[in-house]
Structures are given as structure tokens and as C-alpha cells.
Amino acid sequence: MRTVTELSNHKPMDPPALGEPYLLTPGPLTTAYSVKEAMLRDWGSWDDDFRAMTAELRQRLTALTGDTKAEFDCVPIQGSGTYVVEAMLSSLIPRDGKVLVLANGAYGMRAAETLQYLNREHTIINKGDYMPPRGDEVAAALDADPSITHVFVAHCETSSGILNPVAEISKAVYAKGRKLLIDSMSAFGAIPLDVNEIRYEAMVSSANKCIEGVPGFGFIIARKSELEAAKGRSHSLSLDVHAQWKVMEKTGQWRFTPPTHVVAAFIKALHIHEAEGGVAARGALYAKNRDVMVAGMRSLGFETLLSSHWLSPIIVTFFCPSHPNFAFENFYDLMKAKGFIIYPGKLTVVDSFRVGCIGRMDEHVMKRVVEAARQSLVEMKVDSAAPSDEALAERAKLAA
Ligand SMILES: *Cc1c(COP(=O)(O)O)cnc(C)c1O
């Protein structure tokens, strides 16, 4: 746990409560104290005050896409991010549609699984644990199968931390006259997804990622024409995006009990986001976090799965050291004792762990993360953090 002395060494922007470990995870993440404080009152869901909060939330989120022509609208949906992915897929894809899922990790595969539940026809380009789907292979797949109507991609595939080339993919999709749906869960708010730069029909994200709120709802930002067309498509009452949208437009209310405190916290987080400089500043802060943390970890001998070109400013995958004394569980406990919660890896082929760069943290915190990793290696008697040859061979595939 952090001590008072440690805290006084630097002034984070708005530090978490004393004694809380930093969450170096892709959400839930470390939130500002003032965001937590915003939850210290109760709201009536039907009351004008809360309706105004819902309207503000929708308006501010839509504005983050650069939509100046009022072509898009935002619909929040109760639940975690997966709920809003399912809501988007079931509401925006016609029952006789067919989806090309671009998968390079767990979230792409989860979208395919969701389509299975929804009985929507789909096909997958599965790139394995992390290789990026590229525009030319998307174009070829669309040429080969004219029945494909939609393409799904994860913006940042959080399982490896790779930032997928969505601009290139969007060009390929629309050149072939199809529609793009983006899971920008872990990227939105820090990495631009400007509708004037990158064409798409809809994107989804959630409260507890780069806007730095607490978990409890997700949101879809979609073309109004797509929201209109979604009428009657959903298999699910509670995940019906069209119905939620229509009721919100008419009454200003959510259809079923909204997560009122989460919304209040999120609005505070949106105000902080704007005051700090919006998407560009948030992205720059996280990129600095990543650069300081990755440089420090590399200086200790750790190696990243991805080359610098593909590293997102969201979360970074490191190979576990091959040293016989290294065990991830011990490393995790030692890091936690120093005030930092890290994240297990999701690679199927080699052992890895992840360190997140998002949340209320700056480069000073990231330097302390590196120092904690150094000390933890000493305590484990691991004198080299170098990965196995197998891990390095795996990585060479990406460079090829
Ligand atoms: C966090 C995340 C989700 C949603 O996961 P939940 O556990 O349901 O919040 C979906 N896609 C991506 C890329 C994510 O990072």
C-alpha cells in the first residue's frame, strides 16, 4: 500500500483515495477522487435533474465523435461493455444480414460468439492472438463473399493491447459497399474515432474505460438512420437499442432502472476529460504513461509482445521472464504489496502479463511501477527478465 510520504513525492492530477492500489488494468480502472465523490447522493430516475444528466451525457459523448451534422446519436445501455456489444450486433444487423468478424484476440472472438447466440450468419478472419487484420485481406474477403453486409472490428484489441488499423479497414469496407461496426470499448475518449476521418455506422464503448468513470453502463453511438432501421430487430427486450433510443428521445428517461450513481460519476469524469483537453490530451497522457513504463520495463530486461509501431497507449503485453524463479502469481502479489495491481496475459502460445496505461495515473506513477517491478524481481531472485526463445520466435512472426 502507498504511504503518505510516497503520495507527497508527487501530485497526481486528482489522486485516488489514500491506501488504494493503482489499477493498471483496462477497466475498471483508477478513477479520480472527485468521480467517486459524485456518487454521494441519490437521484430519482424520473426527476428532471437526472433527465438533464442523461441528456448531457448523450450530447457530450456524441460530440466526441466530431459529428457536427447531427447525423449520429448516443444511446446508453445498462450493463457492462459486452451488453452494449450484444445490443449493437442484435439491433443493427438485420436478421438476414451476414457479418465478417475480424478477430485478433478475445474480444473479436466474443463478438463471433455473440453472433452465434443471436443466430446471425457470420464468418471470421481469425488472426490468432494479436496479428492485425489488414485492409487488403478484408477487401479480398468481401470480394469473395457478396452476402456479407457488415464488418466488425475491435479498435484496440485489449487482449494483446494492439491498436488495429481501423482507418485502413474502414476504407476497404466502404470501397466494397459494406458497413462497419466498431468495438472502441478500450480506445474511445483517448484515441480519435472522428466520423469526418473514419467512416462507420456505429461504435460502442463503456463507462469504465478511457473516460475514467466507474462500471455500470455502455453506450452506442450510431448513425440515426441505422437507429431508425433497427426497429423490431432485436431478440432482446432489454438490449433493444431502437426501443431505448425512442423512449429516451420521447421522455428523457431510460426504459428500466438506470445506474444513477454511475451516470453522476461519469458526468464528472466527462467534465474532467474536457477540462484536461479532450481526446487529444487524454491520448497524449496515456501515450506518455506507456512510453515511460515501456522504456523502464525494457531497461529491466522485459520485452513487449508487440513492436513499438503496434503498441497502443491503452495496455501493453510483456512476455514473462523465462528465469526459473519467475512465477506470475508471485510477481502479481509482490506488485500488489507495492500498490500496483497488474493484469494476467491472454496469449495462448506463450506466458505473458499486461500493464495498463489508462486511468488516473501519470508518468510519475509509471516510474514507480517500474521501480516496483525492479524490486519484485530482486525479491524473487530473478536476475534476468529476458523471455524464452520461443516467445521471441513468436514475436518475430509479427515483424515478418
Ligand atoms: C472491456 C472491453 C469489452 C467489454 O468487456 P466487459 O467485461 O463486458 O466490460 C469489450 N471489448 C473490448 C475491446 C474491451 O476492452
Side-chain angles (χ1 to χ4, degrees), residues 80-82 107 110 156 158 183 185-186 209:
S80 83
T82 303
Y107 294 101
R110 189 182 294 173
C156 170
T158 323
D183 170 357
M185 205 70 64
S186 61
K209 304 253 171 158

Side-chain angles (χ1 to χ4, degrees), residues 271-287:
H271 288 185
I272 295 174
H273 184 267
E274 182 184 36
E276 288 180 354
V279 175
R282 189 56 57 91
L285 173 72
Y286 293 166

Side-chain angles (χ1 to χ4, degrees), residues 51-311:
R51 280 192 252 196
M53 286 157 63
T54 299
E56 179 181 352
L57 173 147
R58 295 175 61 203
Q59 179 268 320
R60 280 180 177 272
L61 286 173
T62 309
L64 290 182
T65 65
D67 169 45
T68 49
K69 297 182 214 135
E71 284 174 342
F72 285 74
D73 207 349
C74 170
V75 186
I77 300 274
Q78 295 94 326
S80 83
T82 303
Y83 292 64
V84 74
V85 173
E86 183 165 343
M88 171 172 76
L89 295 175
S90 65
S91 300
L92 266 57
I93 296 159
R95 296 198 181 194
D96 59 357
K98 180 169 180 180
V99 186
L100 171 62
V101 175
L102 308 180
N104 55 339
Y107 294 101
M109 294 312 285
R110 189 182 294 173
E113 190 184 0
T114 307
L115 290 164
Q116 191 79 41
Y117 271 79
L118 295 173
N119 258 317
R120 294 291 195 286
E121 239 199 292
H122 60 281
T123 177
I124 307 176
I125 296 183
N126 186 355
K127 304 286 295 191
D129 275 351
Y130 56 87
M131 297 286 274
R134 302 306 301 255
D136 50 2
E137 58 193 325
V138 173
L142 295 177
D143 278 339
D145 186 350
S147 69
I148 293 170
T149 54
H150 292 72
V151 176
F152 172 95
V153 68
H155 193 179
C156 170
E157 180 39 272
T158 323
S159 24
S160 67
I162 194 169
L163 197 54
N164 280 327
V166 287
E168 170 185 308
I169 289 165
S170 168
K171 282 205 185 84
V173 169
Y174 286 95
K176 303 292 175 194
R178 319 301 169 83
K179 293 177 170 179
L180 182 62
L181 306 177
I182 302 177
D183 170 357
S184 188
M185 205 70 64
S186 61
F188 187 70
I191 297 172
L193 199 52
D194 191 312
V195 293
N196 306 297
E197 310 275 329
I198 298 177
R199 191 165 165 196
Y200 54 90
E201 303 308 307
M203 54 125 300
V204 287
S205 182
S206 73
N208 59 284
K209 304 253 171 158
C210 298
I211 308 287
E212 300 183 359
V214 303
F217 70 90
F219 50 89
I220 172 169
I221 302 177
R223 252 175 234 285
K224 288 177 186 168
S225 53
E226 292 292 315
L227 294 172
E228 286 290 358
K231 186 173 182 184
R233 270 189 201 143
S234 180
H235 65 299
S236 156
L237 172 74
S238 55
L239 297 178
D240 186 335
V241 173
H242 178 270
Q244 181 95 326
W245 181 54
K246 280 293 168 192
V247 168
M248 265 183 193
E249 286 291 277
K250 195 160 165 228
T251 68
Q253 293 179 38
W254 303 50
R255 276 179 309 156
F256 312 117
T257 302
T260 47
H261 300 74
V262 177
V263 170
F266 191 72
I267 286 176
K268 178 68 197 175
L270 278 168
H271 288 185
I272 295 174
H273 184 267
E274 182 184 36
E276 288 180 354
V279 175
R282 189 56 57 91
L285 173 72
Y286 293 166
K288 184 82 186 170
N289 284 352
R290 173 201 58 201
D291 292 345
V292 166
M293 186 268 292
V294 167
M297 294 293 278
R298 282 181 176 155
S299 77
L300 299 180
F302 286 100
E303 302 244 14
T304 58
L305 163 72
L306 302 172
S307 62
S308 297
H309 174 76
W310 292 107
L311 285 182

